[in-house]
Amino acid sequence: MGQVKYIQIADEIRDRITRGDYSPDQAIPDEMSLAKEFGCSRMTMKKALEVLVFEGLLYRKRGHGTFILQSPLQQDQVNVLSGETIGLTASAKGRQVTSQVIAFHVAFPDPEVAKHLSIDQETPVYHIQRLRFIDGEPYVMERTYMPSPLITGLNEKVLQGSVYQYIQENLGLTISSSHKMIRADKPHELDRKYLDCAPNDPILEVEQVVYLSNGTPFEYSFSRHRYDKFVFTVINIQRSQ
């Protein structure tokens, strides 16, 4: 099944913004002009632009048009929105994301992992350690636990690509939400070894539980990010009453 039209349009406009096709000092083309260019209704174009406003790429200035919000567009940083439940491959859209599998095995979970995944300690889980690269440079170290009876068929080939894409496209499951805790930490030995961290470089650690659409937790993970390669953005939208 193809993507919904407004999502396809949002993807194309996002790519244009990333390439610098629109001047950051001027409003992008208005809804009517863009709707005519893309062969869609004005309502479809409005929904596409709302996606990019929510992502923090665009903002509306009443009476003047829609402008590019420049702050997240630093070329060597990945912008992660607080409300997103997508993986690194989607967050770094348009860039080359590769993975190195450092550890991968199935074992019974300790009490903390079992609690966060809402399973008992007799349910086996995948224990995955991956180093993620963007354009050949190390960006994040991931330690992930997933129940193997729920997320079936994981192997090293899947881990070389996007696990979330595999879950949604191959297993037919829908990822809906996550609970994240973001903290600063000092680099561990593995951070210094794999992320090229200096001994005093801070690390951004994201601990999260990710849920399927039926409310079942399927991932408990710790992602350790290089401080100079990620921006975590919180978008607050004031809704009219």
Side-chain angles (χ1 to χ4, degrees):
M1 181 181 296
Q3 285 184 313
V4 178
K5 179 72 170 178
Y6 77 89
I7 296 295
Q8 292 177 330
I9 294 171
D11 287 346
E12 171 58 26
I13 295 176
R14 186 188 302 106
D15 288 344
R16 292 181 182 184
I17 292 170
T18 303
R19 291 195 304 263
D21 292 357
Y22 298 129
S23 169
D25 300 321
Q26 299 178 351
I28 67 170
D30 60 67
E31 287 178 5
M32 288 295 290
S33 299
L34 287 169
K36 183 177 180 180
E37 177 188 351
F38 282 91
C40 67
S41 68
R42 185 171 180 178
M43 182 58 66
T44 297
M45 181 55 61
K46 181 179 176 65
K47 291 177 69 175
L49 294 179
E50 284 177 350
V51 169
L52 302 179
V53 169
F54 180 77
E55 290 181 1
L57 292 177
L58 297 175
Y59 70 97
R60 299 182 188 276
K61 191 173 181 181
R62 187 180 296 275
H64 292 83
T66 303
F67 293 81
I68 297 169
L69 188 65
Q70 297 178 60
S71 57
L73 300 178
Q74 301 171 54
Q75 294 302 310
D76 62 342
Q77 292 184 328
V78 175
N79 185 45
V80 180
L81 296 176
S82 62
E84 285 183 329
T85 308
I86 60 178
L88 181 66
T89 301
S91 294
K93 186 178 178 64
R95 303 174 68 182
Q96 184 184 34
V97 178
T98 54
S99 304
Q100 176 185 340
V101 180
I102 296 170
F104 176 50
H105 61 270
V106 177
F108 293 114
D110 63 30
E112 189 71 8
V113 171
K115 180 182 75 172
H116 282 91
L117 290 175
S118 298
I119 57 176
D120 59 44
Q121 290 184 254
E122 303 304 312
T123 301
V125 299
Y126 296 109
H127 178 189
I128 306 159
Q129 189 100 29
R130 290 195 300 174
L131 177 62
R132 312 299 304 280
F133 298 84
I134 297 179
D135 297 334
E137 190 171 2
Y139 266 58
V140 58
M141 175 78 71
E142 299 173 345
R143 173 164 53 96
T144 305
Y145 304 93
M146 293 182 175
S148 58
L150 177 62
I151 308 301
T152 57
L154 280 189
N155 54 43
E156 292 224 11
K157 182 178 179 180
V158 173
L159 296 179
Q160 294 293 338
S162 169
V163 175
Y164 280 16
Q165 182 177 339
Y166 169 80
I167 289 171
Q168 297 187 102
E169 295 183 3
N170 294 73
L171 300 184
L173 301 174
T174 301
I175 299 170
S176 67
S177 60
S178 63
H179 178 253
K180 300 178 183 178
M181 290 185 290
I182 302 173
R183 61 177 69 91
D185 196 9
K186 296 179 180 179
H188 297 162
E189 182 180 349
L190 286 179
D191 301 324
R192 295 194 296 271
K193 178 178 179 181
Y194 289 106
L195 293 176
D196 295 336
C197 293
N200 294 322
D201 282 347
I203 288 289
L204 289 172
E205 181 179 81
V206 179
E207 177 183 356
Q208 71 173 356
V209 179
V210 190
Y211 300 87
L212 298 175
S213 58
N214 62 4
T216 302
F218 74 92
E219 174 190 317
Y220 178 48
S221 63
F222 297 82
S223 299
R224 295 177 66 81
H225 304 75
R226 280 178 48 166
Y227 79 96
D228 58 334
K229 296 299 182 184
F230 284 84
V231 175
F232 288 87
T233 303
V234 177
I235 304 295
N236 292 313
I237 300 176
Q238 182 66 41
R239 303 287 187 184
S240 57
Q241 299 298 318

